[in-house]
Amino acid sequence: MCGIVGYIGEADATPILMEGLRSLEYRGYDSAGVAVFNNGAAAVVRRKGKLSALQEALDAGSPRGRVGIGHTRWATHGKPSEANAHPHSDCTGRVAVVHNGIIENFHELREQLTAEGHTFTSETDTETIAHLVEKHFTGDLLEAVAAALGEVEGSFATVVLSEDQPDRMIAARKDSPLIIGLGRGENLVASDIPAVLKHTRDILVMENGEIAEITKDGVALRTIDGVPVDRDVLKVTWDASAAEKAGYEDFMLKEIYEQPDAIRETLRGRIGADGAVELDELALATEQVRALNRVYIVACGTSYHAGLVGKQVIEAWARLPVDLDVASEFRYRNPIIDEETLVVAITQSGETADTLAGVREAQHLGGKVMAITNVVGSSVTREADGVIYTHAGPEIGVAATKTFVAQIAAVYILALYLAEERGFMDAADARAVKAQLMELPAIVEEVLNLDEQVKEVAANYVDEKDSLFLGRGMGMPIAFEGALKLKEISYIHAEGYAAGEMKHGPIALIDDGTPIVVVATKSHVYDKVISNIQEVIARDGDVVAVATEGDADIARHARFVFYVPETSELLSAIPAVVPLQLFAYHLAKMRGCNVDQPRNLAKSVTVE
Ligand code: AGP
């Protein structure tokens, strides 16, 4: 969580820092600040609230200088306030620090530093870094930061400046992401690549335990322990404009409309000319795939819902039993994993702390870990044994949309691969499924035509406080996802439930006019879903259904129907989720909510 940016070069640092922070605001937005050095003296401006509040303060008087750091915060220690906003300083005010992560031993460090005479001005864990740097500084900032971080337990991505050596930035990371952008006569450091793309496409991805000394002319990378590191430069090929809104009102809407491409790109190159699924990334020999006795999927939030889809397809096609856990449970469960278990970690960002901890736990227990992620160079790509990239392009809206359908496309490919390698799918069935898979982008394009209708229907529910989302089979994870989307961006309470479970409790919530969204696409449990709809109607619930084109009958049961094109049952997850994303989007907009930056949320949850 939190976004960091640093600049050193010949240009005016403040606008560059602000531009970088804008592209990182998805990482947190409860306060923000910059520290800019001019002739060796630091000017710090911080504000509570979004970046716009900081920009207003800067408009009234912006510090000028050619080196600076900036931060947009998502609070962990200390409430959102100006005093707790980064950058933080030491007692002398000569050191400026921005930090993302959690310093677990900060209470002990703070007590110890206070006893040594340091005075703290914030409630944050970050401020301990500034005081530790002050304590260890004997003329070399790099050594002072390395020594300071040697005392720190927990996770950090941090950038440190000092008035004593204003011609350099020191950046270090452990378990929180940090990249360096290599420019000409200027260098940048940031939590994520889009923050530096306007300046350079040459990126150094820092690894855990590394520290970098960055001047305007160069970067020296080493481990915090002092071992020099030689890192290949990553060339970013995607366009900076991919991270802009491209004419859409919000990133979320743009990303909903990018879903056909996200699926297309994720499937591209996965099915070879001979029709075989190509998944070299799995890094497992055929004998190892055949020896697998189980798959264990670990993920959080929307990625967990993609995992629920994965469970159904892997079990159906590859006939492998699949366990599934939210990562925050898995990591502390002492799960049953052995060398014959394939653990699949699904994470859009590749930085979710709980999922990364799950990956480590699975590896510790002997499991082979395959990651499904959207972010090249993210932590999970370096820790997992193999990676399937989703190629959805950068997703800025906090609510995951295009990465969700891309994750589902990736689990379809994984399931097909496992099925073929294990000999559980005959050639004709495999061919048919692959042909249907390739039709999904066009199907989603068609579903996007429902946008206006969904908006009109949503207008009926603007003032609702509660809602239920129901589904069975493939409809169940989609109901869960529809509910998550609605609650996270519109703040309408939404329960996602297995439709058959409704009568075991949630049915009590239904009264006159409660909106009940039911995923009722054609499936082997369609009749059961219709029975559930009847139970809702009998209690005066107001049914909105997602159904398969041609199903005229459903209109007799539901007040509104969103028709999606027919696909095979196991592939229906993708078309069915799109109207629910649009439904959440329009309701949230009509309620005046900020859909790209919902309250209390952040795009990457890099803390436990
Ligand atoms: C999705 O809309 C949410 N913002 C959230 O649940 C998210 O899916 C979750 O935090 C997991 O993130 P990841 O995929 O980056 O690991």
Side-chain angles (χ1 to χ4, degrees), residues 54-259:
L54 177 63
Q55 187 62 61
E56 251 176 57
L58 292 172
D59 289 344
S62 175
R64 294 182 71 83
R66 301 188 196 295
V67 53
I69 49 179
H71 187 271
T72 180
R73 180 170 186 249
W74 187 84
T76 58
H77 292 69
K79 60 185 178 303
S81 68
E82 191 168 318
N84 288 334
H86 302 212
H88 288 286
S89 291
D90 62 336
C91 299
T92 66
R94 300 181 73 74
V95 173
V97 176
V98 288
H99 164 235
N100 167 29
I102 291 182
I103 298 172
E104 285 164 4
N105 59 337
F106 103 100
H107 283 297
E108 297 92 292
L109 288 172
R110 192 174 168 123
E111 263 174 35
Q112 183 192 316
L113 286 159
T114 306
E116 290 169 10
H118 291 260
T119 307
F120 283 76
T121 56
S122 78
E123 302 160 320
T124 66
D125 51 343
T126 302
E127 197 185 336
T128 52
I129 299 178
H131 292 281
L132 285 169
V133 171
E134 177 190 0
K135 174 178 162 179
H136 288 286
F137 187 78
T138 54
D140 185 330
L141 186 59
L142 176 69
E143 293 309 334
V145 176
L149 295 177
E151 293 198 38
V152 162
E153 285 164 23
S155 59
F156 53 79
T158 186
V159 187
V160 182
L161 298 180
S162 169
E163 289 182 3
D164 292 302
Q165 294 197 311
D167 57 347
R168 67 203 59 194
M169 297 192 287
I170 308 300
R173 75 155 282 185
K174 180 176 167 254
D175 293 336
S176 292
L178 207 57
I179 61 99
I180 298 169
L182 304 171
R184 289 198 180 167
E186 61 180 13
N187 288 304
L188 297 98
V189 59
S191 303
D192 200 356
I193 293 172
V196 304
L197 268 191
K198 289 212 171 122
H199 297 264
T200 179
R201 294 171 166 279
D202 293 343
I203 305 295
L204 285 182
V205 179
M206 292 184 72
E207 300 272 9
N208 276 341
E210 289 179 354
I211 189 165
E213 186 171 48
I214 307 168
T215 64
K216 74 182 173 60
D217 299 315
V219 175
L221 191 60
R222 56 167 247 204
T223 65
I224 293 173
D225 302 338
V227 182
V229 171
D230 194 13
R231 173 77 23 79
D232 287 344
V233 174
L234 174 79
K235 285 255 175 218
V236 175
T237 50
W238 39 272
D239 201 325
S241 70
E244 304 289 343
K245 284 187 196 162
Y248 286 91
E249 211 172 313
D250 316 271
F251 281 111
M252 183 181 175
L253 188 62
K254 171 176 173 266
E255 287 155 5
I256 288 173
Y257 273 84
E258 285 172 343
Q259 294 186 108

Side-chain angles (χ1 to χ4, degrees), residues 299-304 346-352 355 398-401 403 407 481 484-485 488 601-605:
C300 302
T302 287
S303 298
Y304 175 77
I346 308 180
T347 166
Q348 176 281 132
S349 61
E351 301 292 350
T352 298
T355 308
V398 164
T401 51
T403 55
Q407 286 170 344
E481 176 60 8
L484 177 63
K485 283 291 89 82
E488 71 179 331
L601 295 177
K603 185 71 180 164
S604 308
V605 185

Side-chain angles (χ1 to χ4, degrees), residues 385-405:
D385 301 297
V387 182
I388 306 176
Y389 283 109
T390 46
H391 303 304
E395 187 175 70
I396 308 297
V398 164
T401 51
K402 64 174 178 174
T403 55
F404 178 61
V405 295

